[in-house]
Amino acid sequence: MSTSCRAVQELLCAAPPGTALAPEAAAHLATCPACRAFASDDARAWQTLEDAPVLPPPRDLAARITERVSQRHARPPARPWRALATGLAAAAAIATGILWGAWIGADLAPTDHASSVPAAPEIAYAEVFDATPPGGLDAPPESIGRLP
Amino acid sequence: MSEPELRQDDTALMARVASGDEDAFRMLVERHQEAVFRLAYRHLGSFADAQDATQDTFQRLFEAAKRYRPEAGFRTYLFTIAARICLKRKQRHDHSRTEPVAPSMLDCQKTALAGSGPEDILARKERQTAIRRALDDLPADQRLALILLRYEEASCEEIARILGRTRGAVHSLLYRARSHLAILLRDLDSREVDA
């Protein structure tokens, strides 16, 4: 198939059979047996497609479509009592939170407990690195001391 | 009503839909549901899927009403939404095959088939199923382009807008679709002649 045959056949297929072609394409078609055979087969197939099955839409389709759309896009009905109840519940929850927080905060706040805390016990130390280990028979009594 | 009047009317209705007017939306649905359903059914090959796709398309249209700018025709805009939904749906359910031609479909055609014998009806059913299988054999974008051209009488420019392709790409899609289909349907015709 030459390039011009393909171009002419594409033009033939871009419109229903019998549509007027550009003069150059019409001249090619008149003299090209391959393109004439193509056009003939195409016209027959086009005619055969007339018998392709088709059904009308169901009778209630339009009603179903409009109902579906109006259901999906319907605004929710106004319910002022519901908004009020929601607002009150939210306010109560916030207030409870604040009070609870204040109570816990007061419980954890630092207070002056210094006087009630017992003094740290005095820790005795031993000069363990003495040449003579503590408890030895010759340990001098002054090596047992107290922390400053 | 002429095409420009209808288009203007659709645009005016869309402006009303944007302000939440459900009556205007109902009018648009009643006016265009059949075209959207046909497109979806031909593309998806399933009655149930076509219903879902049609509902999704109008749902999206409603949601997009505020953003709608009447630069292209309303129908182009609507088909753009429908095409995206159909392509996505087909991609998601690619394993599903076209359902056979339902008896209800033949009921719809009783007028056309009045006076035909059972053999004629059966032959017609088989032919319709074969045509639909041939359409189903095309890649989704080719099939959609062909359906728009063949059944919705859309121009190449309109198809390009709907599919978000260039005009050249649409020419190429249609060429591939129609050449493939010509071979498939030639086989169908030759089988019928042999029979």
Side-chain angles (χ1 to χ4, degrees), chain B residues 112-179:
Chain B
L113 294 169
S116 306
E119 296 86 7
D120 293 335
I121 294 172
L122 187 66
R124 189 179 173 91
K125 185 181 169 183
E126 281 175 357
R127 181 177 171 79
Q128 286 186 332
T129 304
I131 293 169
R132 204 156 67 192
R133 282 214 181 105
L135 277 172
D136 205 41
D137 203 47
L138 297 174
D141 53 354
Q142 290 182 27
R143 180 168 60 249
L144 198 49
L146 183 69
I147 288 168
L148 286 164
L149 181 76
R150 176 65 180 84
Y151 301 107
E152 301 306 328
E153 296 172 5
S155 65
C156 269
E157 288 75 16
E158 205 179 351
I159 297 170
R161 271 180 176 270
I162 290 167
L163 298 183
R165 305 281 183 96
T166 62
R167 203 175 154 198
V170 170
H171 280 200
S172 184
L173 277 181
L174 287 170
Y175 166 76
R176 279 181 276 144
R178 284 171 75 166
S179 356

Side-chain angles (χ1 to χ4, degrees), chain A residues 28-45:
Chain A
H28 176 95
L29 187 63
T31 56
C32 176
C35 286
R36 280 213 302 279
F38 178 89
S40 165
D41 280 353
D42 175 64
R44 196 180 306 118

Side-chain angles (χ1 to χ4, degrees), chain B residues 68-139:
Chain B
Y68 173 68
R69 300 282 173 274
E71 288 153 2
F74 173 77
R75 192 180 83 134
T76 308
Y77 186 74
L78 182 63
F79 278 178
T80 305
I81 298 174
R84 285 181 189 166
I85 286 171
C86 285
L87 287 171
K88 196 175 273 186
R89 190 169 272 270
K90 197 70 188 170
Q91 204 174 23
R92 214 182 304 149
H93 307 289
D94 203 29
H95 58 279
S96 65
R97 297 294 295 174
T98 299
E99 63 192 30
V101 176
S104 58
M105 190 178 296
L106 292 171
D107 290 344
C108 294
Q109 298 164 347
K110 266 182 183 165
T111 317
L113 294 169
S116 306
E119 296 86 7
D120 293 335
I121 294 172
L122 187 66
R124 189 179 173 91
K125 185 181 169 183
E126 281 175 357
R127 181 177 171 79
Q128 286 186 332
T129 304
I131 293 169
R132 204 156 67 192
R133 282 214 181 105
L135 277 172
D136 205 41
D137 203 47
L138 297 174

Side-chain angles (χ1 to χ4, degrees), chain A residues 1 6 9-17 38 41-42 44-58 61-62 64-66 68-70 72-73, chain B residues 22 25-26 29 33-34 37-38 42 47 51 54-56 58-59 62-63 105 108 127-128 131-132 149-151 156 171-172 174-175 178-179 181-182 185-186 189:
Chain A
M1 191 199 305
R6 168 72 188 246
Q9 289 174 15
E10 278 202 8
L11 280 177
L12 281 169
C13 291
F38 178 89
D41 280 353
D42 175 64
R44 196 180 306 118
W46 185 268
Q47 186 54 43
T48 305
L49 285 175
E50 186 66 33
D51 291 336
V54 70
L55 280 174
L61 184 62
R64 273 191 279 145
I65 292 168
T66 48
R68 177 172 139 178
V69 166
S70 53
R72 284 204 184 177
H73 297 275
Chain B
E22 289 189 9
F25 179 66
R26 188 173 300 112
V29 172
Q33 56 146 347
E34 194 166 336
F37 179 84
R38 262 196 330 249
R42 283 185 166 126
F47 191 71
Q51 282 187 72
T54 308
Q55 291 197 44
D56 289 351
F58 282 103
Q59 170 86 38
F62 187 88
E63 289 163 358
M105 190 178 296
C108 294
R127 181 177 171 79
Q128 286 186 332
I131 293 169
R132 204 156 67 192
L149 181 76
R150 176 65 180 84
Y151 301 107
C156 269
H171 280 200
S172 184
L174 287 170
Y175 166 76
R178 284 171 75 166
S179 356
L181 213 56
L185 295 178
R186 189 172 51 199
D189 286 338

Side-chain angles (χ1 to χ4, degrees), chain B residues 6-69:
Chain B
L6 194 69
R7 197 184 309 156
Q8 195 178 11
D9 209 32
D10 285 339
T11 305
L13 285 174
M14 275 299 274
R16 285 171 54 193
V17 172
S19 61
D21 185 338
E22 289 189 9
D23 288 335
F25 179 66
R26 188 173 300 112
M27 285 166 77
L28 279 175
V29 172
E30 281 168 3
R31 189 179 287 175
H32 297 285
Q33 56 146 347
E34 194 166 336
V36 173
F37 179 84
R38 262 196 330 249
L39 176 73
Y41 180 70
R42 283 185 166 126
H43 187 256
L44 300 170
S46 151
F47 191 71
D49 282 351
Q51 282 187 72
D52 289 348
T54 308
Q55 291 197 44
D56 289 351
T57 300
F58 282 103
Q59 170 86 38
R60 291 273 179 84
L61 181 77
F62 187 88
E63 289 163 358
K66 284 182 182 162
R67 298 192 301 274
Y68 173 68
R69 300 282 173 274

